[in-house]
C-alpha cells in the first residue's frame, strides 16, 4: 500500500521544511553500508545469489522485534516497478541513481513515511538511509542505529574487529557511514564567497556534491556536504564534526544574506519578484531555469520578503518538475519541448491558488 | 532543422539520450546546447572517488595491476577476485579480501582515512570480542575520569570490573 502512495505523490517527509535551521538546511541524511558475512559483494553476484540477499533482507524485515517503533517497512524488487516509478524514487532522493543499473537484481525497502529507506544490492548488500527535514543529523543517526540493530538480530554482518563494517569499496570501511546535509547557499553564491567556503570544507575532510549526489552538478544553489572519512572516527564523532562545520557554513550564509538585505535590498527584491513573476506566468520552462527561479524564490522566503509560496511547496515542486513525474502525470511520452510546456503549466497552476 | 529549445537558431547539436527502455533525441543550437549542458546530459567530471582510489591502488601495487603477469596475480581465496581486478574497479570482492590483501589495503586505508582502526559501532550479535574490547576502552576512560575527580570508591569498582573483563578476554583468546 505504502509503495503505491509513494509513487503517486511527489511528497516526502523530508520536504516538510520543518526541523531546526530549515531556512538553509533542506534535509539531513545518514546512511550506513552493511554487508552479509560469507557472501561476495553485489558486483560479483549472479541473479540467484542476488535474489538470496534480497530474500535474507525480506526475512529480517519479518523478524523485526519492534515493528511499531520502526514503522511499517515494505520491500519491493526494482524489477517489479515501472521505469518511471524507479526514476521517481531517485528524484525523491529515496534511492541513488546507481541502484537503477542492473535493476533486476536489486530491491528497495521503504518505511511508510519515507524517512527510512534501504537499498539492497547497490554497491553493498544493504545501504540503510534516513532522511529528515532540517538539521537533524543526530536524530537521523538515532533512527538508523535502531533499524540497524533490529536487522542485525537476523542478519550476520561482515564485520572485523580491526576494520569495522567491511564494505565493497575501502572508502566506506569502518563505520560504513556517510552523513550529509543539503544546503541552500544563494547568499554565498551571490556575494561570491562560495568558492572560498566550499574550499575550506574540503580541507576539513568533507566532500561537496550537487543535488543528486556523486558526479552531479550543483543546481538551484543546492549543495550536499558529507563526511569523507569512515574509519578511525566513531559515528558520533563524524556526526558532531559535520554538524559543527554545517553551523559554521550557516553563520557565513546568514552573514551574506544580511549583507545583501542591508546593502542591496532593491537588487535582491527585484530578483525575487522577477522569479515569482516568471514562475507565475511562464509558458515554457526548462528544469534548469525552474530550479534557478526556485532558488531565488526560496531566498525571498528565507529573508521573509515574500510568503506566498511555502518552502514545502517549493520542495515538492523540485520533484514534480522532473521528467519522470511530468511524464507520469501526462500519462504518455513527452518530447523535451512538451515537457518544458507542461512544466510551466504545472508550476503556474500551483501558484494560481496562492496569494501574492 | 530549428533548435527545439529556442526555435530560432539552426540545430547543430544532436543528442540521443537513452534511459532504460526509452530513447529520446534532442536537437539544439550551439547556444542552447551550451546552456543546457550541466543539467540534462551527463558531462560529469570523471574525477570520482573511485577513479582516484584506482590510481592510488596502482601506486600501491608498484605501477599498475595491468602490467602484472596473470600467473603472479594473487586471488582472494574466498571470492576469487584477483588483485588486478580490484585495481581496475576499486571494489573488493568480499569481506575476506580485507585480510587476504591486507598488506595492500592497510597502506591505502591509512592514506584515505588517516587510520587503520575502527573505533565506531560494534554489532551486538556478530561483534563478539570487539564488543568487549570496546566496553573495556570505555571503562578505562571512566576510570581515568573517576581518579581525576578523586571519586576513589567508584574508581575501585571500575578497576575490579576492568580486571575481570581483561581476564575473560585473555581466556577467550587462549581457547
Amino acid at each position: 500500500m505504502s509503495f503505491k502512495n509513494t509513487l503517486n505523490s511527489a511528497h516526502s517527509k523530508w520536504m516538510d521544511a520543518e526541523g531546526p535551521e530549515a531556512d538553509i538546511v533542506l534535509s539531513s541524511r545518514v546512511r550506513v553500508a552493511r554487508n552479509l558475512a560469507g557472501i561476495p559483494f553485489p558486483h560479483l553476484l549472479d541473479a540467484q545469489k542476488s535474489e538470496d540477499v534480497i530474500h535474507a533482507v525480506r526475512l529480517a524485515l519479518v523478524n523485526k522485534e519492534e515493528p511499531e517503533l520502526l514503522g511499517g517497512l515494505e520491500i519491493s524488487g526494482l524489477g517489479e516497478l515501472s521505469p518511471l516509478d524507479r526514476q521517481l524514487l531517485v528524484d525523491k532522493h529515496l534511492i541513488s541513481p546507481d541502484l537503477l543499473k542492473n535493476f533486476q537484481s536489486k530491491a528497495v525497502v521503504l518505511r511508510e513515511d519515507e524517512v527510512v529507506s534501504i537499498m539492497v544490492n547497490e554497491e553493498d548488500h544493504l545501504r540503510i538511509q534516513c532522511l529528515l527535514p532540517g538539521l537533524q543529523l543526530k536524530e537521523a543517526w538515532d533512527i538508523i542505529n535502531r533499524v540497524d540493530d533490529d536487522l542485525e538480530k537476523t542478519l550476520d554482518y561482515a564485520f572485523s574487529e580491526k576494520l569495522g563494517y567491511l564494505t565493497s569499496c575501502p572508502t566506506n570501511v569502518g563505520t560504513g557511514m556517510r552523513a550529509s546535509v543539503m544546503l541552500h547557499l544563494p547568499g554565498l553564491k551571490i556575494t561570491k564567497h562560495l568558492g572560498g567556503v566550499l574550499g575550506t570544507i574540503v580541507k576539513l575532510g568533507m566532500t561537496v556534491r550537487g543535488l543528486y549526489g556523486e558526479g552531479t552538478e550543483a543546481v538551484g544553489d543546492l549543495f550536499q556536504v558529507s563526511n569523507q572519512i569512515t574509519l578511525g572516527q566513531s559515528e558520533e564523532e563524524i556526526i558532531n564534526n559535520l554538524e559543527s562545520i554545517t553551523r559554521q557554513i550557516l553563520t557565513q550564509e546568514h552573514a551574506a544574506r544580511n549583507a545583501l538585505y542591508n546593502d542591496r535590498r532593491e537588487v535582491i527584491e527585484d530578483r525575487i519578484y522577477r522569479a515569482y513573476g516568471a514562475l507565475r506566468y511562464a509558458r515554457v520552462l526548462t528544469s534548469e531555469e525552474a530550479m534557478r527561479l526556485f532558488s531565488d524564490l526560496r531566498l525571498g522566503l528565507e529573508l521573509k520578503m515574500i510568503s506566498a509560496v511555502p518552502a514545502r511547496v517549493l520542495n515538492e515542486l523540485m520533484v514534480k518538475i522532473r521528467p519522470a513525474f511530468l511524464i507520469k502525470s501526462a500519462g504518455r511520452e513527452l518530447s523535451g519541448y512538451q515537457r518544458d510546456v507542461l512544466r510551466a503549466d504545472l508550476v503556474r497552476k500551483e501558484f494560481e491558488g496562492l496569494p501574492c | 532543422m530549428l533548435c527545439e529549445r529556442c526555435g530560432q537558431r539552426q540545430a547543430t547539436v544532436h543528442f540521443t539520450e537513452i534511459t532504460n527502455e526509452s530513447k529520446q533525441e534532442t536537437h539544439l543550437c550551439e547556444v542552447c546546447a551550451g546552456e543546457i549542458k550541466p543539467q540534462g546530459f551527463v558531462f560529469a567530471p570523471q574525477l570520482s572517488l573511485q577513479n582516484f582510489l584506482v590510481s592510488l591502488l596502482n601506486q600501491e601495487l608498484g605501477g599498475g595491476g595491468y602490467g602484472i603477469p596473470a600467473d603472479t596475480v594473487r586471488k582472494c581465496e574466498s571470492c576469487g577476485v584477483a588483485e588486478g581486478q580490484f585495481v581496475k574497479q576499486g571494489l573488493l570482492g568480499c569481506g575476506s579480501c580485507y585480510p587476504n590483501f591486507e598488506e595492500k589495503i592497510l597502506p591505502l586505508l591509512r592514506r584515505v582515512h588517516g587510520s587503520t582502526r575502527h573505533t565506531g559501532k560494534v554489532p551486538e550479535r556478530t561483534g563478539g570480542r570487539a564488543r568487549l574490547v570496546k566496553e573495556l576502552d570505555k571503562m578505562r576512560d571512566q576510570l581515568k575520569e573517576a581518579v581525576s575527580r578523586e571519586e576513589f570508591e567508584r574508581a575501585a569498582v571500575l578497576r575490579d570490573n576492568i580486571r575481570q573483563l581483561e581476564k575473560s578476554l585473555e581466556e577467550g583468546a587462549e581457547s
Side-chain angles (χ1 to χ4, degrees), chain B residues 74-104:
Chain B
R74 259 186 336 120
K75 288 188 169 187
C76 169
E77 290 151 23
S78 299
C79 66
V81 155
E83 263 173 39
Q85 237 171 311
F86 172 37
V87 169
K88 264 186 226 167
Q89 300 182 325
L91 295 178
L92 291 162
C94 68
S96 304
C97 286
Y98 281 93
N100 285 342
F101 297 135
E102 194 177 33
E103 76 283 4
K104 305 283 183 201

Side-chain angles (χ1 to χ4, degrees), chain B residues 45-92:
Chain B
Q46 285 308 300
L47 197 77
S48 69
L49 201 58
Q50 201 136 318
N51 292 1
F52 182 63
L53 191 70
V54 166
S55 75
L56 277 182
L57 273 165
N58 268 310
Q59 275 186 37
E60 219 54 72
L61 291 170
Y66 309 107
I68 300 176
D71 54 346
T72 62
V73 170
R74 259 186 336 120
K75 288 188 169 187
C76 169
E77 290 151 23
S78 299
C79 66
V81 155
E83 263 173 39
Q85 237 171 311
F86 172 37
V87 169
K88 264 186 226 167
Q89 300 182 325
L91 295 178
L92 291 162

Side-chain angles (χ1 to χ4, degrees), chain B residues 97-117:
Chain B
C97 286
Y98 281 93
N100 285 342
F101 297 135
E102 194 177 33
E103 76 283 4
K104 305 283 183 201
I105 290 172
L106 287 186
L108 176 82
L109 293 178
R110 198 168 292 120
R111 269 204 257 180
V112 174
H113 298 285
S115 165
T116 54
R117 180 118 219 138

